[in-house]
Amino acid sequence: MRIYLPGTWPMLQRLVKTGHFDPIGGTAFALTPRLRETYLSGDDEELEYVAMSEAARASLRLLGVEFGLGEDGVPARRVVVSADVDDVTLRPDLDAGAVRISGSVPLEAVASVHVDTAEAEHAVRQAAGAVDAADLGDMDAEFLIGEAEDHELAWYGPSEIAFLVELG
């Protein structure tokens, strides 16, 4: 199953260093039956994009935690790692596309990485600080999330990840 793992720049650096991506709490997103039922229309590609977008929003939550811990040197870029894994558990208690995996994802299972460009950093930093308020219905905070989500994530193949991290 193709899954989308939310991450941060330090998590991407660890992937390059160790050859494994360690998702926080095993949380990932995928085109689940529940996600498919949520939408009246849309082909698999469109619904996969929805799952990836949910992972990108989860990446904002992870960034919000890192910034809250004083990690101001962390690049304000959403990171989503796309991978193909077999051991996936549906999470009906969370978002429609939420799944859980057990353990690390080896680099060999990574299909691609999606990362914000430098131009998105200001909007992403603002959104990371507002994501909790947006989840609680604050419309001003939701506007900030939308500003970040207006930036498309850049696509990188597995062979490009080390160069991406090196160039920062």
Side-chain angles (χ1 to χ4, degrees):
M1 172 181 266
R2 173 67 49 96
I3 61 169
Y4 300 92
L5 300 146
T8 62
W9 195 262
M11 293 171 76
L12 196 57
Q13 289 172 316
R14 281 191 296 280
L15 169 63
V16 170
K17 185 177 180 180
T18 67
H20 289 87
F21 186 84
D22 295 307
I24 304 295
T27 300
F29 298 85
L31 173 50
T32 64
R34 186 168 163 227
L35 180 65
R36 187 178 303 282
E37 291 170 3
T38 303
Y39 288 85
L40 296 174
S41 65
D43 61 19
D44 283 357
E45 186 175 332
E46 292 169 318
L47 296 175
E48 291 273 349
Y49 184 80
V50 170
M52 187 181 78
S53 297
E54 288 184 13
R57 185 170 281 216
S59 176
L60 285 176
R61 291 182 184 95
L62 295 176
L63 282 169
V65 170
E66 286 185 353
F67 296 151
L69 295 175
E71 296 293 332
D72 293 328
V74 172
R77 297 184 186 186
R78 296 170 295 164
V79 172
V80 176
V81 175
S82 171
D84 296 312
V85 299
D86 294 325
D87 187 21
V88 176
T89 304
L90 299 178
R91 292 290 313 267
D93 57 319
L94 295 177
D95 293 339
V99 296
R100 174 167 284 150
I101 64 167
S102 59
S104 298
V105 174
L107 183 57
E108 297 79 35
V110 173
S112 60
V113 172
H114 310 267
V115 181
D116 275 308
T117 62
E119 291 79 25
E121 286 196 34
H122 176 73
V124 169
R125 186 171 293 279
Q126 298 298 310
V131 70
D132 289 338
D135 287 344
L136 295 173
D138 182 318
M139 295 309 292
D140 291 332
E142 189 61 44
F143 176 79
L144 292 174
I145 302 299
E147 290 288 312
E149 290 176 344
D150 283 345
H151 293 273
E152 289 292 324
L153 298 174
W155 180 94
Y156 298 92
S159 65
E160 299 172 299
I161 300 170
F163 296 113
L164 171 66
V165 168
E166 183 179 320
L167 296 175

